Amino acid sequence: MVRVGFRILLAIFYLGAGILHLVSPRGFLAITPDWVPFPHFIIAFTGIAEIAGAVGLLIPQLRKWAGIGLALYALCVWPANFNHALNGISFGGEALGWWYHGPRLAFQPALIWLALWVGQVIDWPFPRPR
């Protein structure tokens, strides 16, 4: 039951983030590192990927693939989070401090694990009873 609850929460989170990537890409473009090619395309693509992953988590036949995809996604966007933190990029004129960036950067591995766990790719550290 706990896994199902977290699966639904993660799906809602990624659905919302994906929609934001598509309807309001400016903030995401601002934190995208300069070395990323075709940033407008990448932001739109990542929005679509987040939406697809969110939907996939809720479809049993796609759940594992969605979990793997969202875990890889979270790993791939981590450089943008570092770029945001280290370069003090602001949104709407307001820079977020380390009170935001520290936990955000530290939580990324947990987000990767969560995608794999709710996607039923891994059971660690909660082995299923046999």
Side-chain angles (χ1 to χ4, degrees):
M1 251 350 240
V2 172
R3 187 182 278 192
V4 172
F6 276 105
R7 181 181 303 128
I8 292 167
L9 285 175
L10 194 64
I12 291 168
F13 168 79
Y14 273 115
L15 179 64
I19 291 169
L20 275 176
H21 274 78
L22 297 175
V23 301
S24 185
R26 191 171 70 199
F28 300 104
L29 287 165
I31 68 171
T32 301
D34 293 337
W35 51 264
V36 174
F38 312 108
H40 287 85
F41 170 79
I42 295 297
I43 297 303
F45 178 78
T46 57
I48 293 166
E50 287 174 312
I51 293 167
V55 171
L57 283 178
L58 304 177
I59 300 172
Q61 298 88 337
L62 301 177
R63 187 167 293 144
K64 283 187 180 183
W65 288 110
I68 291 168
L70 289 173
L72 289 171
Y73 169 83
L75 180 64
C76 289
V77 299
W78 211 1
N81 298 331
F82 275 102
N83 186 50
H84 186 197
L86 297 175
N87 293 311
I89 299 166
S90 66
F91 290 111
E94 185 176 335
L96 299 172
W98 280 99
W99 61 268
Y100 168 81
H101 293 298
R104 173 73 179 95
L105 292 171
F107 184 70
Q108 201 76 3
L111 190 59
I112 293 167
W113 167 81
L114 186 62
L116 295 171
W117 185 64
V118 301
Q120 297 177 310
V121 178
I122 62 170
D123 289 323
W124 180 86
F126 311 109
R128 293 183 198 188
R130 294 180 184 222

